[in-house]
Every structure is written in structure tokens, then in C-alpha cells.
Amino acid sequence: MCKDCGCSLTRHDHDHLGAHSHVDSHDHSHDHGHSHDHGVSHSSSHSHSELHTNPQLNDKKTLSVIHKILDKNDVEAGHNRAHFEAHNITAFNIMSSPGSGKTTLLENLKEYTKLNYAVIEGDLETSRDADRLIAKGITAYQIQTGSACHLDAFMVHGALHHLPLEGLDICFVENVGNLVCPASYDVGTHKNIVLLSVPEGDDKIEKYPVMFRRADVVFITKCDLLPYFDFKLDEARTQLKKLNPATQIIEVSIKDGGSMQAVAAWLKDNIRGAQ
């Protein structure tokens, strides 16, 4: 077991990747130019410095093994990024707790942007989220992680072989719903999007700081529910800026077209080559 986050470090092969795409049997092959060692899998890419804070991981042998695994994941993440860039695609890692509205946001975004996007979905089981997106005409591919609480670079690499990348502007990686582990794993994306929904409460920001420190933008979602929950927007903004002064904050409701246009505008401003 990975004692740092509780997910398994056992070998994963790409049979965990669900065959759910609206492009039947699509497989893009490419010459990587280097070999990948997939023998060490489910590569947990926690920040190396964080390992030393866990008393269960303080022996040299364990640390040596874990560092090798982390290094392999980082190499694979770099390859994923290079592959996105070769196709002129900007990749965004979308992270949040379960039920914050990640899939719903992606379903509705199609109405507000002309950018062409596909989605790699991560969940422990089922293909429900990918199926929802495909029903809307959005290219999606499901990764079923089994018991893993996050995606890693190897999983995302496998999914890339099942997406038609030509002509895409954006690839979203919708990570497993979890406010802890996904923030520490480089999957090869360019920027991090974090969602915080009004029903969760503004206290989650300081309780789960690693996630919000690594956010390039925070979408505060389900803002149409503000009258019904004790969620203080000003306090949330203050906490976010204290943890991460550089992060942008956008208040979002899928029922508010103006807020969805703000999301679309942020994406347009942050795709590669936009600056």
C-alpha cells in the first residue's frame, strides 16, 4: 500500500482504462522516441518532500523504492505534456471533491465556447460521467481506477491512445473526486482547475490547503444555491488569496450564462499561445 495516501501501488495495466469513447475503436499510434517502463505502475507522484513527513515512510529502503516510482511518474507526465504540445493542445487538470459539478460544468461549457475539447474521465467505477458527456456530443474516455483515489501519468498516457487528438484545442483531465491526493500527482497537464461548490462550505479551503495552493483558477460552483447555504464568498476569497495569491477566482452557476461565459473566457485566455 502507498501509506502516504492510502492508494495501492500495485501494478496497474491499461485494462483499467474503460473503452468508452464516441469514436469507435480509435487508436492513434505514435513514436515516443523513448521507451516506457510500465512495469512499475500506478505511479504515485507525491511531492518528494512530503514523503519525509510521514513516520510510516522513514526508512531508507522504502523511501528509495517510492522515489523511483515517483520519478517514473514524473518522466511519464513530461512525455504526456510533450505529446499534448505536439498536437497544440492545452491540458487542464480538473480537481475537486465528489459532487462539486465537474462533469456538469463540462457538459454545459459546450454551449459557451467554440474551442474544441475532449475529456479524460477518472472514477473508481462505472462509465457514467463519460457516458453523460458522449450523450452531449463531447469526446470522452473513461478511466476506471478500481481503488485508486487519483489519476497518475501512466493512466492518462494510456487514455491518450483512445482520443482523436487532431483538431483539439483542449483536453480536460477530470480527476477522481478527492480534495487530497490528486493535487500531488503530475499527470502531464499544463494548468490546474479546482472546483469548490457552495454546498461544501467555505471551510474546506483551509482544511485542504494543498489542493488550493496548486490551483491556477478556482471555480466556486453552484452559486445559485448561495441563498440556501451559509457560504461566505468574501471569506472564501480571503482564504484562497492567503493560500495562493496568484490564483484566479470565478463564481459559477450553470444557470447563469454570464458566469459560464467567464469560464469560457478564462479558458480562451489560458490556452497555449493565447498570451
Side-chain angles (χ1 to χ4, degrees):
M1 294 293 289
C2 170
K3 297 182 179 69
D4 199 37
C5 72
C7 55
S8 91
L9 281 170
T10 55
R11 174 182 172 85
H12 86 75
D13 47 42
H14 296 306
D15 288 342
H16 284 307
L17 300 169
H20 299 283
S21 171
H22 81 270
V23 180
D24 292 336
S25 302
H26 182 91
D27 184 10
H28 73 270
S29 60
H30 57 273
D31 182 6
H32 303 324
H34 61 278
S35 63
H36 299 292
D37 181 1
H38 287 189
V40 178
S41 103
H42 193 189
S43 308
S44 303
S45 181
H46 278 291
S47 298
H48 293 210
S49 60
E50 294 174 8
L51 295 172
H52 298 279
T53 65
N54 189 328
Q56 295 174 303
L57 300 175
N58 58 7
D59 66 279
K60 292 183 179 179
K61 184 176 180 180
T62 300
L63 285 171
S64 176
V65 171
I66 293 176
H67 280 305
K68 288 179 181 178
I69 293 172
L70 304 187
D71 290 342
K72 285 180 180 289
N73 183 84
D74 290 346
V75 169
E76 192 75 351
H79 169 67
N80 290 349
R81 235 179 326 270
H83 195 58
F84 284 128
E85 291 164 7
H87 289 80
N88 201 30
I89 294 170
T90 305
F92 296 94
N93 190 8
I94 303 184
M95 300 177 286
S96 74
S97 60
S100 64
K102 297 187 294 298
T103 308
T104 300
L105 182 77
L106 295 174
E107 280 180 315
N108 287 271
L109 178 63
K110 191 171 183 285
E111 301 175 20
Y112 297 93
T113 184
K114 294 182 179 180
L115 295 171
N116 190 19
Y117 63 92
V119 183
I120 295 172
E121 282 284 350
D123 284 300
L124 271 68
E125 299 290 349
T126 82
S127 62
R128 290 177 184 173
D129 286 354
D131 292 342
R132 284 171 55 184
L133 294 170
I134 292 167
K136 293 280 188 176
I138 300 165
T139 301
Y141 188 80
Q142 184 75 50
I143 298 174
Q144 297 174 6
T145 68
S147 61
C149 54
H150 59 86
L151 296 178
D152 65 28
F154 290 95
M155 295 177 182
V156 171
H157 171 83
L160 291 178
H161 288 272
H162 298 271
L163 288 178
L165 299 181
E166 296 300 329
L168 288 182
D169 300 300
I170 291 173
C171 182
F172 292 107
V173 177
E174 184 180 333
N175 221 307
V176 177
N178 181 349
L179 270 180
V180 184
C181 301
S184 297
Y185 292 76
D186 186 357
V187 294
T189 50
H190 296 98
K191 295 204 172 185
N192 293 328
I193 297 172
V194 176
L195 273 59
L196 174 69
S197 68
V198 166
E200 292 174 74
D202 53 59
D203 62 324
K204 301 303 181 293
I205 298 165
E206 291 185 336
K207 286 182 176 180
Y208 301 94
V210 174
M211 179 71 71
F212 295 100
R213 284 194 186 107
R214 298 186 181 175
D216 293 288
V217 65
V218 175
F219 296 153
I220 300 177
T221 59
K222 305 186 182 183
C223 282
D224 52 301
L225 298 178
L226 279 168
Y228 310 103
F229 288 88
D230 186 20
F231 187 103
K232 300 178 180 64
L233 277 173
D234 289 343
E235 179 63 21
R237 286 180 169 274
T238 298
Q239 291 179 39
L240 287 167
K241 287 297 184 180
K242 182 180 178 181
L243 286 172
N244 184 353
T247 193
Q248 294 181 256
I249 304 165
I250 301 176
E251 298 165 22
V252 181
S253 167
I254 60 165
K255 298 180 179 180
D256 176 6
S259 71
M260 291 297 295
Q261 288 170 356
V263 170
W266 185 89
L267 291 167
K268 185 177 179 180
D269 289 344
N270 284 273
I271 59 174
R272 295 180 66 250
Q275 284 79 20

